[in-house]
Amino acid sequence: MSEPRPGVKTLGIKLPDALHAQFTLVAQLDRISLADAALRAVELYVSTKRQEEDFAARATAALEEIEREAAARRGAIEGLFGETPDKPEEAPKTPTRRKSATSE
């Protein structure tokens, strides 16, 4: 059994028998391993998805959700130590608003 390599993840997938047979045959015809064929397939999938019209918008929405969740978790941790957390959706904007309110 091979040792895990840093920066590399292992993916196990289940394929229907017929698709596995075709995949194996195509890889053999290209004289590459199934692992290399799977890597190429994943690279092609990611590249194809990046070209979709709404991909950037969906990625931006996902990033915004991650930031909201991180702010909520940050607030929960701050609350554990007696600090008064800001509302999660306002957390990144609060310092800017305080500066402008103080300077007025």
Side-chain angles (χ1 to χ4, degrees):
M1 194 155 136
S2 64
E3 301 260 336
R5 295 182 303 174
V8 176
K9 303 290 184 207
T10 299
L11 176 67
I13 61 171
K14 295 181 180 184
L15 298 175
D17 289 340
L19 183 57
H20 182 272
Q22 292 172 1
F23 185 54
T24 301
L25 177 61
V26 170
Q28 286 174 346
L29 292 172
D30 282 346
R31 296 186 175 148
I32 60 174
S33 68
L34 285 179
D36 287 341
L39 179 59
R40 288 182 185 184
V42 171
E43 289 170 341
L44 178 62
Y45 177 74
V46 170
S47 174
T48 301
K49 297 308 277 185
R50 282 184 178 159
Q51 301 303 315
E52 291 180 355
E53 282 185 29
D54 66 336
F55 183 79
R58 290 185 293 137
T60 299
L63 181 58
E64 289 169 356
E65 179 61 24
I66 289 168
E67 290 172 352
R68 278 191 295 277
E69 290 173 8
R73 292 182 75 176
R74 187 179 312 107
I77 291 171
E78 289 171 352
L80 287 173
F81 296 101
E83 299 174 24
T84 307
D86 293 327
K87 292 181 183 176
E89 63 275 2
E90 295 179 12
K93 298 178 186 174
T94 303
T96 306
R97 289 182 182 169
R98 284 183 185 159
K99 279 184 179 178
S100 60
T102 337
S103 61
E104 288 181 7

